[in-house]
Amino acid sequence: MRVPLGARSVLGIALETLPKPMDRALKPIGECLDSTPLLDPTQLALGRWLAQYYHAPLGEALRLFLPPEARRQEQSTQARADALRLTTEGATLLAALAADQVPPGLGRAPAQQAALRALGAGPQRRAELLAAGHRAPTLRTLLQKGWLEPCGASTPATPVPAPPLHSEQAEAVAALTADRGTFRTTLLQGITGSGKTEVYLQVMTQVLEEGKQVLVLVPEIGLTPQTAQRLAARLSAPVHTLHSGMATGLRNQRWEAGRSGAPMVLLGTRSSLFAPLPALGLIIVDEEHDDSYKQQDGVRYSARDVAVKRGALQGCPVVLGSATPSLETLENARQGRYGHLRLSHRAGQAQAPRQRFVDLRKHGAPEGFAQPTLDAISETLARGAQALVFLNRRGYAPALRCHACGWLADCDRCDARMTVHRDPARLRCHHCDRSQPIPGVCPSCKERSPMPVGQGTQRAESLLQHRFPETPILRLDRDKVRSMARLEAELEAIAHTPGALLLGTQMLAKGHHFPRVELVVIVDGDSGLFSADFRAPERLAQLLVQVAGRAGRELAPGTVLIQTHDPEHPLLQAVVTQGYDAFAEAALEERALLGLPPFAPLALLRAEAPQWAPVERFLTEAKAALLAAPGAEAQSTLGPIRAPMARRSGRFRGQLLLQGTERAPLHRNLAHALPQIDKLPSARQVRWHCDIDPSDTY
Ligand code: ADP
Ligand code: ZN
Ligand code: ZN
């Protein structure tokens, strides 16, 4: 509704009506925009929980649940899927009409009769129906009467049959289907290619047959088309995708399809979590360990954790799937709070890849690639198989240096180096997006031209193209792939090209299926070993396993080569020789010793300003407020300290880290202190926020 606030008129959501009028004089509501509630009870309850848990304003939390387009004029809440089809009831009516019996309620409605007849042959796109002269109000009436229902236009007539399950899959499906109708969270841990998606499919089939809805979360928009096609080919219910890259109108339609309660699969990125799905019967969070499930501005929620909460509210099972589960989820499973199912070998005939180190101390790699690596690539391409080269650094080179005086190109606005780019040739800061021309002579000694140092994907591409001139190379990184349509097209084209090279950043590591890849090269196995962030080892281990999972997906066994200066590093050793579980075991032990998540909750108060002084003043006063509030005795409050990247985009950044022993006192402390911190005069001199369960401490 629209309500007056001071001199302005703002949008608001009515949450409840009070039993008796308040003593204060209240202004009347300006305009009521929706005749039916915009948010259903689950959405409201989840919104309230989000506001409370993440210490966010209720309005900001509820805004997540609003349809992508605030529907100002439109009164209808009817479903707007791509296509419509007859319900069983509708089909019965149509049969009666065909037999010249005019059912009650249809006698004087020739337009409705005509629309029913039009759908007698099967589903039709709404746009086609409208083009054929059927009117929107007629369709809406039929939907309201339950004679029509929305469906995805891509719904196949006969779904592709399921393969017979191997025994671990069968056990997983049995366990998960037994949970139907009750809330329970289960970790499905299976190496890449072990058949997790197959398990999801069979559980989904049963849930959909009961007339329920399924929500599937995936980390990246790049993953939705492949997954959507696979699900749609197998399920008889419509599969709707939803992500922020879609046009607003289409997203709105998907939202409305969910609201209808019709059986369907909603497949999307983290914001799909807030769609109305009144008949929700199953939530799947695929690649649950993925960083992108954590929202990094506004309400800083973890989509994985909110999914579990939503499952609890709607009484349905939640499946967290991953080859490399987060340490949080693993610990929940170890404590018995979550179920734990495993798929330990690959489905079909695929074999697990062999992993080998290439010792860069022994071989050297003047151009980024050691000789044994180049030999392996050449041999793979000669066989007509594909090789995938993974380098998590975009651009041409990560630094520009003068070899006469040692000058390095730094960003003026960040504590960071400028990255050298080609096409167009510029220096770019990856932290603030600033760019400038590449200097021809060293700005410091004016003697020599500074040279690019190190290797990014652009440089690797030109090196490889030079070495393998006949080979088609597809580079995938954020500079190259800017649109989702482009990404889909490129992936589709390359997947079936024999003897091709794929080269890219972590975009390549995520879930895509590359059936011809038989060799994976990790160019820089050392990156990430020495980061300040406590989650860095976990991320590196996940990345190594995920990237390795791209090799040998179908019939041929794959090989993974990891180039490193430190093949004895305990982390690399654990992951490569013993696998992810051994790594996780050791990493959990270390986290327990250090009092870090999942054993102790964290909250991070971040602040930034054009100078350091106001940041420090604010954080010092905030710390005092936290220490004075109840619950403070149960936690340590570290700081104020400068953030690991102390200056970014010309702003100084500082933080206070709250390390709790238990969740309840930490939240009590924050609930008391944050409103006071918000009122501090020093709070107005900085930009600040509180991040609950931060995914990194940067
Ligand atoms: P994940 O999701 O764990 O990576 P998928 O479900 O994608 O694994 O399965 C990997 C490959 O194995 C796919 O090509 C899939 O069709 C195939 N597959 C899965 N389960 C079976 C099975 N029981 N029998 C034969 N092939 C299977
Ligand atoms: Zn110089
Ligand atoms: Zn910068």
Side-chain angles (χ1 to χ4, degrees):
M1 58 187 61
R2 200 164 270 292
V3 291
L5 184 74
R8 292 178 303 149
S9 150
V10 297
L11 284 179
I13 299 171
L15 292 177
E16 50 189 315
T17 45
L18 300 178
K20 56 183 179 85
M22 284 167 80
D23 301 338
R24 294 166 44 194
L26 294 177
K27 289 188 191 166
I29 290 169
E31 186 190 354
C32 180
L33 299 169
D34 292 279
S35 55
T36 48
L38 205 51
L39 304 186
D40 67 27
T42 307
Q43 291 177 303
L44 274 178
L46 198 58
R48 286 182 193 271
W49 179 82
L50 273 161
Q52 191 198 349
Y53 186 86
Y54 291 104
H55 300 272
L58 184 57
E60 217 181 302
L62 289 176
R63 201 161 53 184
L64 295 167
F65 295 86
L66 293 180
E69 187 181 320
R71 297 162 313 118
R72 300 267 161 85
Q73 283 82 34
E74 208 180 329
Q75 298 293 315
S76 153
T77 53
Q78 272 311 320
R80 292 232 163 169
D82 287 338
L84 296 172
R85 67 179 170 204
L86 295 175
T87 58
T88 325
E89 228 186 317
T92 315
L93 282 176
L94 186 63
L97 276 175
D100 276 340
Q101 302 158 5
V102 179
L106 267 181
R108 264 162 301 166
Q112 293 180 30
Q113 292 185 20
L116 285 177
R117 286 205 178 91
L119 285 160
Q124 271 206 50
R125 287 186 167 275
R126 181 186 278 272
E128 284 161 9
L129 286 167
L130 294 175
H134 301 282
R135 290 176 53 244
T138 312
L139 299 178
R140 198 149 57 221
T141 310
L142 291 171
L143 278 161
Q144 269 159 1
K145 288 180 172 171
W147 297 341
L148 295 188
E149 63 187 5
C151 64
S154 59
T155 309
T158 41
V160 177
L165 296 177
H166 62 70
S167 64
E168 283 180 327
Q169 282 177 319
E171 271 169 48
V173 170
L176 293 172
T177 45
D179 288 342
R180 266 173 309 157
T182 48
F183 165 60
R184 184 173 154 76
T185 306
T186 305
L187 164 62
L188 178 61
Q189 183 179 1
I191 56 166
T192 317
S194 60
K196 291 185 295 297
T197 311
E198 196 53 50
V199 170
Y200 302 152
L201 273 165
Q202 305 221 2
V203 182
M204 283 158 94
T205 306
Q206 303 203 30
V207 170
L208 292 166
E209 267 168 16
E210 289 182 329
K212 297 274 188 64
Q213 300 172 307
V214 179
L215 174 62
V216 183
L217 296 183
V218 291
E220 304 255 317
I221 53 171
L223 295 183
T224 47
Q226 275 190 331
T227 315
Q229 276 170 20
R230 185 158 168 207
L231 299 189
R234 286 280 300 279
L235 301 170
S236 49
V239 176
H240 294 302
T241 54
L242 189 64
H243 56 76
S244 52
M246 280 162 77
T248 315
L250 197 55
R251 280 195 291 152
N252 229 28
Q253 285 179 17
R254 301 293 153 86
W255 212 264
E256 294 309 323
R259 196 191 298 280
S260 74
M264 60 176 268
V265 176
L266 185 67
L267 169 72
T269 47
R270 59 174 187 264
S271 60
S272 328
L273 194 50
F274 305 111
L277 293 164
L280 190 59
L282 174 69
I283 303 178
I284 294 167
V285 183
D286 196 25
E287 311 286 355
E288 67 87 31
H289 63 277
D290 199 285
D291 270 351
S292 61
Y293 283 128
K294 173 84 174 166
Q295 168 84 13
Q296 298 294 7
D297 53 31
V299 185
R300 291 164 193 259
Y301 64 88
S302 147
R304 176 195 62 217
D305 297 347
V306 181
V308 171
K309 185 65 194 177
R310 181 158 191 178
L313 282 171
Q314 291 192 271
C316 75
V318 180
V319 183
L320 308 179
S322 178
T324 53
S326 63
L327 296 180
E328 278 79 2
T329 298
L330 268 178
E331 182 60 16
N332 275 321
R334 290 183 359 158
Q335 296 299 325
R337 285 187 289 266
Y338 293 175
H340 195 174
L341 298 167
R342 281 170 189 276
L343 304 179
S344 51
H345 40 257
R346 291 193 164 195
Q349 273 105 50
Q351 295 170 29
R354 290 182 302 265
Q355 310 199 31
R356 277 197 286 132
F357 290 114
V358 176
D359 189 342
L360 292 179
R361 294 167 309 185
K362 209 156 48 183
H363 298 289
E367 298 193 306
F369 295 93
Q371 196 54 48
T373 308
L374 291 170
D375 293 344
I377 294 176
S378 153
E379 185 269 329
T380 307
L381 298 174
R383 270 189 284 126
Q386 296 179 347
L388 185 158
V389 175
F390 178 80
L391 177 59
N392 210 10
R393 211 182 292 126
R394 66 193 173 89
Y396 186 79
L400 185 74
R401 180 192 284 279
C402 167
H403 290 297
C405 73
W407 174 87
L408 271 164
D410 286 323
C411 177
D412 294 343
R413 296 159 49 82
C414 306
D415 288 336
R417 308 246 182 280
M418 300 293 276
T419 302
V420 185
H421 278 253
R422 291 274 165 91
D423 311 314
R426 306 269 302 169
L427 289 176
R428 284 182 190 285
C429 173
H430 285 185
H431 304 283
C432 70
D433 267 349
R434 207 175 64 83
S435 84
Q436 65 188 54
I438 299 175
V441 232
C442 170
S444 173
C445 68
K446 317 252 185 311
E447 273 188 25
R448 283 211 224 162
S449 321
M451 303 295 288
V453 180
Q455 201 186 29
T457 45
Q458 292 178 340
R459 190 174 208 173
E461 182 184 24
S462 60
L463 280 166
L464 290 169
Q465 195 68 82
H466 184 71
R467 280 266 173 181
F468 306 103
E470 306 298 322
T471 300
I473 298 184
L474 174 66
R475 194 185 96 219
L476 278 184
D477 56 37
R478 214 148 38 86
D479 301 310
K480 180 88 187 296
V481 183
R482 293 202 177 268
S483 84
M484 150 109 159
R486 172 105 180 250
L487 175 63
E488 268 177 68
E490 305 232 9
L491 286 175
E492 188 52 37
I494 200 83
H496 305 289
T497 310
L501 261 174
L502 290 104
L503 162 71
T505 57
Q506 60 189 1
M507 273 183 135
L508 274 180
K510 300 201 172 171
H512 297 290
H513 188 72
F514 298 118
R516 287 174 181 267
V517 168
E518 292 179 20
L519 173 72
V520 170
V521 173
I522 295 169
V523 178
D524 188 359
D526 300 334
S527 64
L529 284 178
F530 309 104
S531 165
D533 193 66
F534 78 94
R535 283 186 214 271
E538 177 183 354
R539 293 215 181 92
L540 177 64
Q542 287 165 343
L543 197 65
L544 287 179
V545 176
Q546 299 280 345
V547 176
R550 306 294 118 213
R553 296 213 40 166
E554 241 134 64
L555 292 179
T559 303
V560 180
L561 295 182
I562 303 166
Q563 298 196 135
T564 172
H565 288 94
D566 192 3
E568 283 90 36
H569 192 285
L571 167 64
L572 286 178
Q573 278 292 333
V575 179
V576 171
T577 60
Q578 294 166 276
Y580 187 75
D581 281 333
F583 158 78
E585 188 87 7
L588 277 170
E589 218 166 275
E590 198 176 284
R591 295 266 188 99
L593 275 174
L594 297 175
L596 288 169
F599 302 97
L602 292 183
L604 194 62
L605 208 67
R606 296 193 187 92
E608 57 172 56
Q611 293 87 29
W612 172 247
V615 173
E616 188 168 35
R617 190 175 333 118
F618 166 73
L619 289 175
T620 307
E621 292 178 18
K623 183 175 184 172
L626 287 160
L627 290 177
E633 60 292 344
Q635 78 206 24
S636 52
T637 310
L638 310 171
I641 52 165
R642 289 175 193 261
M645 184 182 292
R647 204 166 53 100
R648 183 170 177 165
S649 294
R651 302 174 71 87
F652 288 86
R653 309 157 77 226
Q655 57 194 38
L656 268 185
L657 182 67
L658 309 186
Q659 198 168 7
T661 42
E662 275 171 78
R663 215 163 258 294
L666 178 68
H667 278 263
R668 190 149 29 93
N669 185 250
L670 288 168
H672 276 93
L674 287 176
Q676 295 175 26
I677 292 174
D678 195 35
K679 289 197 204 93
L680 290 172
S682 61
R684 245 156 282 140
Q685 313 297 317
V686 299
R687 258 193 236 153
W688 72 280
H689 68 262
C690 177
D691 192 352
I692 305 293
D693 306 331
S695 68
D696 56 56
T697 46
Y698 273 64

